[in-house]
Amino acid sequence: MNRVHQAWQRARRRRWWITALLLVPLALALTAIATRVAGINIGSVVLLATLMVVAGTATWRARRLDRHWLVRQLDTHAIAQDSADLLFADAAALNPLQQRQQARITAALQAAPPDLRAAWPTRWLAVSWCGGMLVAVLAAGWPAPGAPLPALPGRATPAASAAQPPSLQSSRLQIQAPAYTGEALRTQTALDAKVVHGSALDWSLRFSAQPTLAALQLHDGTRIALRREGEAWVAQWKAAKPTLYRLVTEPALTAPRLYRLDVVPDRPPSVRVIAPDRTLVLATPGQRQWTLQFEASDDFGVAASAELHLTLAQGSGENITFREQRIALTGTGPATQRRFARTLDLATLGAGPGNDVIAQLQVRDNRTPTAQTAQSTSLILRLPSEEQVLGTDLEGMVKKTLPAYFRSQRQIIIDAEALIKLRRQLPAEEFVKRSDAIGVDQRILRLRYGQFLGEESEGGAKPPPTSDSLPTSDAPAADHDEDHAHDSASTQGGHEDHDHDHGAAQAGTAPVFGAATDVLSEYGHTHDHAEAATLLDPQTRAILKAALDQMWSSEGELRQGRPERALPFAYKALGFIKQVQQAERIYLARVGPELPPIDESRRMTGDRTDLGSRTFTITPVDTPDPAIVAVWQQLADTRTTPDLDAVSQWLGRHQSRLSDPLSLAAAVEELRLAPGCAPCRTTLRAQLWRALQRPLPQLERRSAPDPMAQRYLDALEGTR
């Protein structure tokens, strides 16, 4: 058995060496390619890794020659007599005939053991080594990235002349994106490219005939000089803006053309709130923690760290104090989409009943040297006050609930500024809807302050019609101009012998259940809002009236979806409110308003002397973009030469307004290169039409009334 075992091991070793010799050339070829592309360090790593793979594969194939393989190989020889399996059987478990056969085979194999080694695959070894060496030699001779193009031996490029103008023979554009993007070096033969902002571009061009001067002409007039290195012309440039360029040589190229270079800006990161699912969260009684989760994404990666800005608002009305705090967070997940989470301990923050906790996450991307930042929407946790907690446990009692967002003018300003920052992220319909909601907040706050001037409240209950009266248009509307002063209430309050019998005044109107004012008017002693107005001196009343006017203007702009126009009015209103808070209060006698006397002689005479005119003059709108309008008209006539320089100058001033300025610039350059090209004129005319500024939409004509409405209007005209 010793000699059989030795033959078995020799067969295993032969299999190991055959496998290794077949795979080693492949490992050497991969190493040569990696060394040429990435350098000697990467090549060494590839060599070590491939050799380990070769050794592992050879060992695995050698171990496949196990005992079953040995039995099958021995049975193929006549000396084993198809009884090779008896060699590895236990003699005590065999019968006398099997024991005799086992002894006979063992003696025969010991005397003349067979050769179990496989033959050397000479042909496959030659193919493997020749192919591997050929690939290694080609990789070693291939030019390294960034190396100039080698000149063909024994053949120099002739000098260009008027009889033999140069033409572009070969080109190579090497693009190295900024390191923070993580993109590898890219090389292409096409001169049109789409690169990241800040990428380093390296041109290497060869011409059929050597020009005396060569440059890259950008469409804005800038030139990038090409310098000659051997037989090639090279240039470098850092992509800062999208541009069109063409090759300019002396003598001129035979077939010049435009090339487009699109520069993709690095977009700022975006932050999405995962939890909570609402921007305003009302805390439950006894809540001690608040869980926040955000998801930040960026095209080239978000920084692993972020800042959570926390603001604790304490107080109510305009007397609110703020305390800010910053917490560093570490994100999880891939760089392009990280998640940030934090569970806040309200007791540690010092938040108590009636306070607001405002959270906002600020993230930054990996852009260098200046990172771009983005902020999430503000999340507000409102902790209920003790009065609100007690009010939830009482049923059937009067509760006065104020909307959470309508607490102060400052909060309206904060909401409007936050909405302006989200203009590009929200659809137009959603943006207008949110702006309208803030306008409703402004309206309710204006009504609350208007009560101190004796103004009528909006949305009040109408008096019920009596049996002997019908509803008329004189009844107060549910929603009307809140700038109308309640002069009648002030006049009634001016009598010195004021009657306090409120029961008689309320005889015709039933109290509304749950309203604090109706409960007081039925069981207590109350006056109208004009009495509160007498607690302010005339100067303070004027300031408060100015604040209400600014609130009215702010509300109008917000309801129309223009929060940026509403901010100046909102800030002025806040300033007036601060002045009112600092003004001195005095008690005045309950007297009626001192109105100017009415000149009865001018009534019904049509005399409009000293009256302001309400006629608005219509200002004609200037022709939009007169420069390109003139060129657009010139392009319609093939006999007229268009002023392309005027279009280029206009494009330089209004490039940011166009969605695709390169297409317009390309059309201008194409026509400049081929002035007689009719399709080029048509293309440029179409591009100019798209670039024209659209006029603002005008007021729509009122729709025609239906027959019933027309009869009503005719009746009004008849009575008039």
Side-chain angles (χ1 to χ4, degrees):
M1 287 295 294
N2 292 336
R3 301 188 65 180
V4 175
H5 188 271
Q6 292 175 0
W8 182 21
Q9 295 302 323
R10 285 195 297 269
R12 281 188 165 187
R13 285 192 293 270
R14 176 67 62 85
R15 173 68 68 87
W16 192 95
W17 280 108
I18 290 175
T19 304
L21 292 177
L22 286 174
L23 296 180
V24 164
L26 179 60
L28 296 178
L30 293 177
T31 301
I33 295 175
T35 302
R36 174 53 59 187
V37 173
I40 187 63
N41 294 332
I42 301 299
S44 301
V45 174
V46 172
L47 177 60
L48 180 60
T50 53
L51 290 180
M52 292 178 62
V53 172
V54 168
T57 305
T59 303
W60 171 73
R61 285 180 55 83
R63 288 185 177 180
R64 294 188 63 183
L65 306 183
D66 52 5
R67 181 180 298 177
H68 298 286
W69 176 87
L70 178 60
V71 170
R72 291 195 303 269
Q73 292 296 322
L74 292 177
D75 285 339
T76 59
H77 294 77
I79 192 175
Q81 299 179 1
D82 292 334
S83 301
D85 55 340
L86 297 177
L87 296 175
F88 304 97
D90 187 7
L94 300 178
N95 54 39
L97 181 59
Q98 291 175 336
Q99 292 177 0
R100 180 176 296 180
Q101 181 69 6
Q102 182 186 30
R104 182 183 300 126
I105 295 174
T106 301
L109 292 176
Q110 288 289 351
D115 188 3
L116 303 177
R117 294 176 299 178
W120 287 97
T122 309
R123 180 179 301 176
W124 289 107
L125 287 175
V127 172
S128 175
W129 278 90
C130 291
M133 291 299 102
L134 179 61
V135 173
V137 171
L138 292 177
W142 194 264
L149 296 176
L152 296 177
R155 183 180 179 183
T157 305
S161 61
Q164 187 180 2
S167 62
L168 186 61
Q169 188 176 21
S170 62
S171 61
R172 188 196 64 196
L173 177 58
Q174 183 175 289
I175 304 170
Q176 179 61 64
Y180 73 88
T181 62
E183 296 184 359
L185 181 68
R186 178 161 52 103
T187 304
Q188 62 183 36
T189 57
L191 296 182
D192 295 305
K194 189 175 183 180
V195 300
V196 182
H197 183 273
S199 298
L201 306 180
D202 189 356
W203 287 273
S204 181
L205 310 174
R206 294 188 63 178
F207 301 94
S208 59
Q210 291 292 357
T212 58
L213 182 65
L216 301 177
Q217 179 74 41
L218 306 186
H219 76 278
D220 60 355
T222 307
R223 277 200 174 192
I224 303 174
L226 289 167
R227 65 180 184 277
R228 183 174 177 180
E229 293 184 358
E231 298 295 324
W233 292 78
V234 297
Q236 291 79 30
W237 188 61
K238 197 168 187 178
K241 59 180 179 179
T243 185
L244 298 169
Y245 69 98
R246 66 176 184 269
L247 298 179
V248 178
T249 61
E250 292 182 4
L253 288 173
T254 55
R257 56 156 295 189
L258 281 175
Y259 302 99
R260 178 165 180 162
L261 189 64
D262 290 304
V263 178
V264 181
D266 183 9
R267 298 191 304 270
S270 60
V271 186
R272 183 174 64 92
V273 179
I274 300 177
D277 56 352
R278 297 181 301 274
T279 56
L280 176 64
V281 180
L282 300 178
T284 59
Q287 181 176 349
R288 299 181 178 180
Q289 293 182 339
W290 189 27
T291 301
L292 303 175
Q293 292 183 3
F294 305 89
E295 184 180 76
S297 58
D298 187 72
D299 44 4
F300 297 116
V302 182
S305 60
E307 280 191 349
L308 181 63
H309 296 184
L310 299 177
T311 303
L312 179 62
Q314 297 174 328
S316 62
E318 302 299 333
N319 300 321
I320 302 178
T321 60
F322 298 93
R323 189 178 64 185
E324 297 184 354
Q325 183 179 356
R326 297 172 182 259
I327 300 177
L329 301 182
T330 302
T332 59
T336 57
Q337 193 171 9
R338 296 188 185 274
R339 288 205 172 191
F340 300 88
R342 179 77 177 190
T343 300
L344 302 177
D345 189 350
L346 301 180
T348 305
L349 295 176
N355 298 159
D356 290 349
V357 180
I358 307 172
Q360 189 178 43
L361 183 70
Q362 182 176 8
V363 300
R364 55 185 176 85
D365 58 7
N366 296 324
R367 180 183 177 184
T368 55
T370 304
Q372 300 181 107
T373 60
Q375 295 179 346
S376 67
T377 56
S378 297
L379 304 176
I380 305 175
L381 176 65
R382 177 148 295 133
L383 302 176
S385 61
E386 296 179 357
E387 292 80 3
Q388 294 175 345
V389 174
L390 293 176
T392 57
D393 298 333
L394 300 177
E395 296 181 1
M397 298 187 67
V398 178
K399 291 193 303 180
K400 186 178 181 182
T401 304
L402 296 180
Y405 275 119
F406 309 152
R407 299 200 309 168
S408 66
Q409 182 69 20
R410 184 184 290 106
Q411 183 63 47
I412 293 176
I413 295 175
I414 294 174
D415 293 344
E417 291 177 344
L419 180 62
I420 293 174
K421 294 180 180 179
L422 298 176
R423 175 182 290 274
R424 296 184 179 180
Q425 304 177 12
L426 296 176
E429 297 78 4
E430 181 66 19
F431 183 84
V432 174
K433 182 179 178 181
R434 293 193 181 184
S435 178
D436 181 72
I438 301 176
V440 175
D441 302 351
Q442 182 70 84
R443 168 179 170 270
I444 296 178
L445 183 62
R446 176 175 53 80
L447 294 179
R448 289 174 56 196
Y449 280 104
Q451 295 175 1
F452 295 98
L453 292 180
E455 292 188 353
E456 298 179 0
S457 61
E458 298 184 2
K462 299 180 180 180
T466 59
S467 59
D468 56 348
S469 63
L470 296 177
T472 63
S473 60
D474 296 334
D479 191 0
H480 58 278
D481 188 358
E482 53 270 22
D483 287 340
H484 173 66
H486 197 351
D487 296 334
S488 60
S490 301
T491 305
Q492 294 174 4
H495 299 289
E496 295 179 357
D497 53 346
H498 175 67
D499 187 4
H500 294 288
D501 188 9
H502 299 281
Q506 301 293 336
T509 304
V512 180
F513 179 78
T517 55
D518 291 315
V519 173
L520 292 176
S521 63
E522 183 175 5
Y523 301 103
H525 184 82
T526 181
H527 297 273
D528 50 20
H529 295 302
E531 181 180 1
T534 60
L535 302 181
L536 303 176
D537 60 277
Q539 182 178 2
T540 304
R541 285 174 53 85
I543 297 176
L544 185 56
K545 183 62 171 63
L548 294 180
D549 294 340
Q550 298 298 326
M551 290 184 183
W552 172 259
S553 301
S554 173
E555 176 189 346
E557 298 294 343
L558 288 171
R559 298 297 291 270
Q560 298 181 61
R562 298 193 293 262
E564 63 278 353
R565 298 187 182 181
L567 281 179
F569 302 111
Y571 274 111
K572 291 180 181 179
L574 180 60
F576 287 136
I577 292 174
K578 285 298 183 182
Q579 296 181 25
V580 171
Q581 288 181 344
Q582 299 171 3
E584 296 181 355
R585 270 64 170 179
I586 59 175
Y587 289 88
L588 302 177
R590 292 176 54 83
V591 295
E594 297 180 0
L595 301 177
I598 299 176
D599 187 2
E600 299 291 345
S601 63
R602 293 182 57 181
R603 299 193 63 178
M604 308 298 292
T605 62
D607 185 8
R608 300 181 60 86
T609 307
D610 300 333
L611 295 181
S613 176
R614 296 187 179 183
T615 304
F616 297 96
T617 59
I618 301 177
T619 304
V621 180
D622 298 334
T623 303
D625 309 326
I628 60 175
V629 169
V631 177
W632 183 81
Q633 295 173 349
Q634 295 170 3
L635 290 172
D637 188 1
T638 56
R639 297 170 298 179
T640 305
T641 302
D643 189 2
L644 299 181
D645 294 335
V647 179
S648 300
Q649 295 174 3
W650 179 90
L651 181 59
R653 297 190 303 267
H654 302 83
Q655 186 173 0
S656 59
R657 185 170 65 83
L658 303 179
S659 59
D660 189 9
L662 287 186
S663 296
L664 178 57
V668 173
E669 294 300 325
E670 290 289 351
L671 186 59
R672 196 188 300 274
L673 293 176
C677 178
C680 299
R681 297 174 70 97
T682 304
T683 303
L684 178 56
R685 201 162 188 263
Q687 292 291 339
L688 290 177
W689 179 260
R690 298 189 185 98
L692 285 174
Q693 186 177 5
R694 300 295 183 267
L696 297 176
Q698 303 298 324
L699 295 178
E700 297 182 359
R701 183 180 297 273
R702 181 179 299 174
S703 59
D706 55 6
M708 181 178 295
Q710 187 63 41
R711 288 195 299 270
Y712 177 74
L713 295 177
D714 295 341
L716 290 179
E717 291 293 336
T719 56
R720 185 177 302 176

